[in-house]
Amino acid sequence: MLMRTDPFRELDRFAQQVLGAAAPGTWSKPAAMPMDAYRAGDEFVVCFDLPGVTPDAIELDVERNVLTVKAERRPLPGGGDVQMQVSERPLGVFSRQLFLGDTLDTDHIAADYEAGVLTLRIPVAEKAKPRRIEITGTTGDHKEIQA
């Protein structure tokens, strides 16, 4: 259903966690964002952690079964008299790409953003769901098998 294929991004994320804060992500080289993904019944659910990001700073695109999520955490507004004492929250651009299989219905993705978590619900395509196929014989008897 979901394929993760960017080992270098995961390595960058691991290095940032181990070595401390790194430079903020940019639009040309965004930082990774943490996510969880699971299947719940007939839908696939993906949750992205985006605390401090406003909904208008999130872009969500699907092209040829590739889902791209980009978000930007902007600095807090400040004036000339503001002096930062501690700055540990990463700012900049975050991005994640997921390769969705043909068994997911990318035309009906639902997105919800609440409490800093972007939740996507992707239904399983009808063609991927189990179904019964009727078999007819020459004797006129009808039998069903499950596909």
Side-chain angles (χ1 to χ4, degrees), residues 39-103:
R39 182 169 176 169
D42 284 340
E43 66 182 5
F44 199 70
V45 181
V46 186
C47 301
F48 297 93
D49 277 349
L50 296 170
V53 175
T54 59
D56 65 328
I58 300 172
E59 291 181 12
L60 183 60
D61 298 305
V62 176
E63 183 178 348
R64 295 186 184 157
N65 288 357
V66 177
L67 173 73
T68 303
V69 180
K70 278 192 175 182
E72 182 177 13
R73 185 178 299 126
R74 299 175 180 128
L76 296 173
D81 63 340
V82 174
Q83 295 178 352
M84 183 62 73
Q85 300 299 313
V86 177
S87 179
E88 294 179 349
R89 297 175 48 209
L91 300 175
V93 180
F94 303 86
S95 178
R96 196 74 183 251
Q97 280 193 324
L98 304 176
F99 297 91
L100 306 176
D102 291 332
T103 59

Side-chain angles (χ1 to χ4, degrees), residues 98-118:
L98 304 176
F99 297 91
L100 306 176
D102 291 332
T103 59
L104 297 176
D105 185 358
T106 58
D107 292 332
H108 295 96
I109 296 175
D112 180 51
Y113 185 67
E114 186 176 339
V117 177
L118 174 64

